[in-house]
Every structure is written in C-alpha cells, then in structure tokens.
Amino acid sequence: MLNLPIQVVKMGLRPGDPVFLSPDFRVDAGLLDLVRSSEFRRLEKESKRNYATDYRLLLDFLWSRNVPWREASRQDLRDFRAWRCDAPENPRRIGGSKWNREAAAFTLLFKWAKVSPMPVDVGRREDRAPDAGKDRVSWLTPRTWRLWMDIGLRGHTRDRLVTAEWAGRTETRNTAFVRLLLSSGLRRQEGGALLMFEVPRQLLQRGRYCHGQVPAALTRTKKGRTYYVSVEAVREVETYERSERAWAVQRAQQEGRYERLPMMRIITEVTRGLKPKVRWVDRGGVEGEQALSLLTCQERQWLFIEGPDGPEPAWLWLTERGLPMDPHSWNGVFRAANLRCEEVLRPTKSGLWDVHRAYAPYATPHSARHSMALYMLVVLNELLERRYGLSPAERRDFALLFGDPWFLVQTLLGHSDVELTKRIYLAPVTHLRLSSILASIDDDPPSGQLEDLDGVFARIARESSGVQDLDAGLDERLATAG
C-alpha cells in the first residue's frame, strides 16, 4: 500500500507546499517543479500561500479558454487583468496593489518556465497598475482606535458597557497586540513573531518609551532595525503574559499538548552582545544554534523554554490552546472586530446611510502602522513648533542635524526612501501646513505634557480623504437615530 507521507517527502515537497490539480484531477508536473524550485522556495510563507492562490485563479481562467499555461499570450493576460480589475460583471474586482502582487507572481512563474515572449512582466510599466498603494492605506485617529477596540475587542455597546453575553476569552491578548502595533508601527509579522524575551524592557532616558530590535529575518528588507514602543503598551503585553497566556500554557501542559508536537527545541542559552545567538537541544538530544536575528518565523514557533511545570513556548502570542498563533491569524481577529463594530454601530432606521460618511470604524493590522506614522508626524511637528519654540531658521538648522519630522517617521517605519513615506503612508497630510493647524492649540499644556490632539486629527480628517475619525458624540447620535 502506498505510504503517501513518505512519497511526498521523496518528491521533495515540504509541509504547506501547494499542489495544483487540473479540473480533470491531474497533477501538473510543471507546477510541481516550480514549487520545488529555488525561486519559489525563497519566498516567505505568506507569499507562497498568496502566489498559490493567484496561480489557481489564472490557471482556471486559462483552462476555460483551453490554453495551456505555458502557451499563454500577452492578450490572454490582458484579458485576465481586465476581468480582475475593470469588468463591471466581476463582483469582486481588485485594486492596483493586489494586481501588482499577482503580476509579480505570474512574472516569477513565466520567467522560471522560460516562456518567451513573456505574457506579463511586472518590470514593464504597462503591466503594472498606476494606482498601486493607494487602496492599501488606512488611517484611524486615536479616538477612533479607542472606539474600535472598545466595541470590537472588548465587547462594549454603544453606551460603552460590556454586553452580558460577551465572553472575552482573548480580550487581553488582542488588545495588547493592537496596542503594540499601534505604538510601535511594527508590521503584523514583525510584532506577531516576537519571542518572550524579545519584548522591550529597557526604558529610554525619560521613561515613556522602551526600545527593541526587529529581527532581520522578519522584515521585508531582511535588515534589522530599532523600534520604539510606549511603556503603556509594554505593560499591557506584560498583563497578557501573566494572565491569559499563563492560563493557556497551564491548560496545554495539563492536557499534554506540547508532548505531542512533532518539533520542539528547548532553549539552553541566549547569548548577549551585538549579535546574540539562541542555542537549543531537540528531543533527540541534537544541539543547534542560530543568530537571533536570523531565526525564521517557523523556527521561532519550534522554540520552547523550560518552565516550572514543563516546557512552554518561547513564542509570545498563543492561541487559547496554548500553541503559537500564526501571524496570519491576526487577520481573523481584526475581521471579527470589524464585523462587531458594523453590527453595533449600524443605524437601525432605514434611509440613514450616507455614502460620504462612515458609521463604523474599519481596521487592519497595517492600519495600525499607518496610523502610528500619522500620529508621530503630528506629535513631532508639535514638539518642533511649540515645545522647542524654534524659529524657521532654527528649525532648518535642527533638520540639518537630526532630520525633519518626515525623516524621523521614515526611520521609525524602516523605509529606505523618505519619498515612500510621504507618497504612500502620509498622503492625506502632505498638503497641510501642520504648523498652522497646531498654532491654534492653546498654549502651555498642563504639566509640560503633550496635550490631547483629538482636535488636530479631527481637522486633518475633515480636510483629507481616507482618514477615519469618529468622535465621542457618535453614540448619542446613533441612539437618537435608532
């Protein structure tokens, strides 16, 4: 009898590798070679999953035309793009960013297969979408984030009361993760793949922020960088560690879940210095080590520490079963929170919908990164304009020494080009004179602290597109409308 797992291993397939079947249930040998190629192997786990989905859609389209994928023409790809992006009959059209990702996937496929002429090439301007990036940007103001978390993650009603049926089993974990991303500007994978001992603990001089290091293996550029996170966000993470996380670990240990895992590496040492290393020993007694910055997302999920009651994951964010939570799974948490906000804040009377106004906030993990950048730009301008009282000439000198707010935000985000920061992330405020906006703020904030900036963000939202700002009076208006 055929042992399928052994045969799969002999073919060179790895867990998670896609296998493409035609509608007549035949395995495409050419695509099987692609999956095992170095070009496909070097992709990140999520990119592999996304590319596989893109290939399936294109293959189905070409199959409907009786065109083998190796014989696809430029006209075939033009027609496919027209259907994906422009056809009114398509109820799920995509935007420019999504098309560019699909074009990159197809370019890899046809280049690997040495198809000539190339039916699509993301390097050609005509094969790229001109509006890429604009449909991926999302900003929420601070008070809108508070509303989104209260209703979507904490189970509050319009009156900011917890509903009786709200379970909230992972409330502490979810709010701590969002606070971490919103404070630091980390990407979903960068924040979602942290290990316990990587949570920043070292305070900066004035004690309001901690700083940590983003491992190179988790970044898009494969270059590590320093990031900063507020003390309040770190405290929420620590609360999660002592409560929901500890309970999940305890239950998993009692039920023997960790003993049944196919891979476990017990950490024996984490070295210090400029290039720390993680040393471990696996169940077979085999020792290994790797630079902390080079550990992949998968390798991090295999790492365990020896706790007082047995092994427990070194991975920070755990599921209710006490197992490492894949960074991709945070999309589901955000999706559920968005649906709850929509249900709670939807007007109850017919005819109240206004296409020019949002009644419920909508957020993604990347929205936190966008919003952090917008917030830091406003705060940095406030510091330069008010706290330091710089004249225009002094501000120019300051910018020459330390960089202007755009450069500082670029550094926080880890962008290689400040123009990317301006063009993509902070487009709605590039036309605003923040100095004139901030000039209307009352002088002498109490205790020398930064004052509440809700009014500043409200004006930015009114004068810009794409910024979500829902004020504190929303509940009363909606209650009246209902």
Side-chain angles (χ1 to χ4, degrees):
M1 184 175 181
L2 181 65
N3 189 316
L4 186 58
I6 293 178
Q7 295 300 319
V8 168
V9 171
K10 287 183 177 180
M11 293 170 61
L13 290 175
R14 301 175 183 176
D17 282 346
V19 176
F20 297 90
L21 294 176
S22 62
D24 58 2
F25 305 106
R26 296 183 182 183
V27 175
D28 191 304
L31 292 174
L32 202 60
D33 291 337
L34 169 70
V35 170
R36 295 178 294 182
S37 68
S38 59
E39 291 86 347
F40 195 83
R41 285 275 187 248
R42 68 170 64 106
L43 297 175
E44 296 291 341
K45 179 180 178 181
E46 185 173 352
S47 294
K48 292 179 181 178
R49 179 169 51 244
N50 291 334
Y51 277 29
T53 302
D54 299 338
Y55 293 150
R56 180 180 62 80
L57 293 172
L58 177 63
L59 292 170
D60 286 344
F61 177 82
L62 294 175
W63 180 274
S64 68
R65 292 188 164 194
N66 295 318
V67 176
W69 64 265
R70 290 179 183 271
E71 299 175 14
S73 66
R74 292 197 66 179
Q75 187 59 51
D76 290 323
L77 269 295
R78 289 194 194 100
D79 293 343
F80 180 72
R81 177 181 176 179
W83 168 257
R84 294 287 285 151
C85 302
D86 305 317
E89 300 84 3
N90 184 358
R92 297 183 181 274
R93 294 192 299 274
I94 62 175
S97 295
K98 179 66 166 62
W99 168 255
N100 282 357
R101 193 201 74 191
E102 292 188 5
F106 304 149
T107 300
L108 184 149
L109 169 64
F110 292 121
K111 185 175 293 185
W112 169 83
K114 296 182 173 58
V115 175
S116 183
M118 290 274 287
V120 63
D121 186 350
V122 75
R124 291 194 296 249
R125 177 176 297 182
E126 61 268 26
D127 287 343
R128 296 195 305 270
D131 61 339
K134 297 179 181 178
D135 54 333
R136 295 182 61 250
V137 183
S138 174
W139 300 265
L140 283 74
T141 63
R143 62 181 174 188
T144 306
W145 275 109
R146 293 193 291 269
L147 177 69
W148 184 85
M149 285 192 283
D150 283 345
I151 295 177
L153 300 181
R154 297 191 176 103
H156 289 192
T157 64
R158 292 179 180 177
D159 300 322
R160 304 299 175 89
L161 300 175
V162 180
T163 58
E165 67 273 11
W166 179 252
R169 295 190 303 270
T170 58
E171 176 182 318
T172 304
R173 181 200 67 188
N174 297 344
T175 54
F177 179 78
V178 174
R179 288 288 190 189
L180 175 72
L181 263 59
L182 191 56
S183 172
S184 64
L186 293 173
R187 294 183 176 91
R188 182 188 62 194
Q189 177 168 275
E190 294 169 349
L194 286 176
L195 301 177
M196 289 282 287
F197 50 82
E198 289 181 308
V199 177
R201 315 286 184 183
Q202 185 176 355
L203 295 175
L204 297 180
Q205 184 177 1
R206 297 188 65 94
R208 296 184 61 181
Y209 275 80
C210 302
H211 64 88
Q213 194 70 18
V214 183
L218 300 181
T219 68
R220 289 183 177 178
T221 60
K222 302 308 175 187
K223 296 179 181 179
R225 72 176 189 278
T226 300
Y227 71 95
Y228 304 89
V229 58
S230 70
V231 172
E232 291 77 10
V234 172
R235 286 174 181 162
E236 291 201 34
V237 173
E238 292 173 343
T239 300
Y240 159 67
E241 293 174 358
R242 294 192 297 267
S243 57
E244 288 179 2
R245 189 185 190 281
W247 299 331
V249 169
Q250 184 180 47
R251 289 194 299 269
Q253 290 172 334
Q254 292 173 348
E255 297 176 13
R257 293 195 186 111
Y258 299 144
E259 285 75 8
R260 297 193 293 270
L261 292 176
M263 176 67 74
M264 177 186 291
R265 293 172 172 176
I266 303 295
I267 296 176
T268 57
E269 181 185 10
V270 180
T271 66
R272 302 292 181 179
L274 295 177
K275 296 182 180 180
K277 291 184 178 181
V278 177
R279 297 192 172 105
W280 67 78
V281 59
D282 65 16
R283 284 195 174 119
V286 178
E287 298 179 350
E289 69 175 29
Q290 181 59 278
L292 179 60
S293 64
L294 299 181
L295 286 170
T296 66
C297 193
Q298 178 65 76
E299 291 173 322
R300 288 166 168 265
Q301 294 184 19
W302 293 338
L303 294 176
F304 280 69
I305 58 177
E306 196 64 61
D309 299 314
E312 60 182 76
W315 188 272
L316 175 61
W317 308 105
L318 304 181
T319 66
E320 291 186 80
R321 292 173 54 81
L323 301 175
M325 182 172 177
D326 193 280
H328 184 75
S329 299
W330 285 108
N331 287 355
V333 174
F334 277 73
R335 185 161 50 248
N338 290 330
L339 289 174
R340 175 165 175 75
C341 287
E342 180 73 18
E343 292 171 358
V344 172
L345 298 177
R346 180 189 295 117
T348 54
K349 284 187 176 180
S350 62
L352 290 178
W353 288 106
D354 182 351
V355 296
H356 300 292
R357 179 178 170 189
Y359 289 90
Y362 178 89
T364 66
H366 220 62
S367 299
R369 180 170 166 84
H370 300 157
S371 301
M372 172 268 189
L374 178 60
Y375 177 82
M376 290 306 298
L377 179 68
V378 172
V379 170
L380 289 170
N381 271 278
E382 195 272 347
L383 288 172
L384 293 180
E385 298 285 351
R386 298 189 68 256
R387 178 67 61 83
Y388 298 142
L390 300 182
S391 67
E394 290 170 333
R395 178 163 177 159
R396 285 194 297 271
D397 293 339
F398 184 94
L400 289 174
L401 288 172
F402 303 104
D404 64 10
W406 287 109
F407 173 78
L408 296 174
V409 172
Q410 171 206 355
T411 303
L412 290 172
L413 293 172
H415 287 165
S416 59
D417 183 5
V418 70
E419 292 304 317
L420 173 66
T421 309
K422 293 181 179 181
R423 184 178 68 254
I424 301 298
Y425 281 80
L426 301 172
V429 295
T430 55
H431 68 288
L432 297 178
R433 291 294 301 266
L434 286 175
S435 59
S436 65
I437 295 176
L438 294 164
S440 64
I441 299 178
D442 295 335
D443 293 330
D444 302 324
S447 305
Q449 300 296 317
L450 289 175
E451 61 183 308
D452 181 70
L453 297 174
D454 282 344
V456 179
F457 285 103
R459 180 171 174 183
I460 293 175
R462 287 195 302 270
E463 300 186 12
S464 310
S465 61
V467 180
Q468 301 178 50
D469 181 57
L470 301 176
D471 61 38
L474 173 70
D475 296 336
E476 296 180 7
R477 293 198 305 272
L478 289 176
T480 303

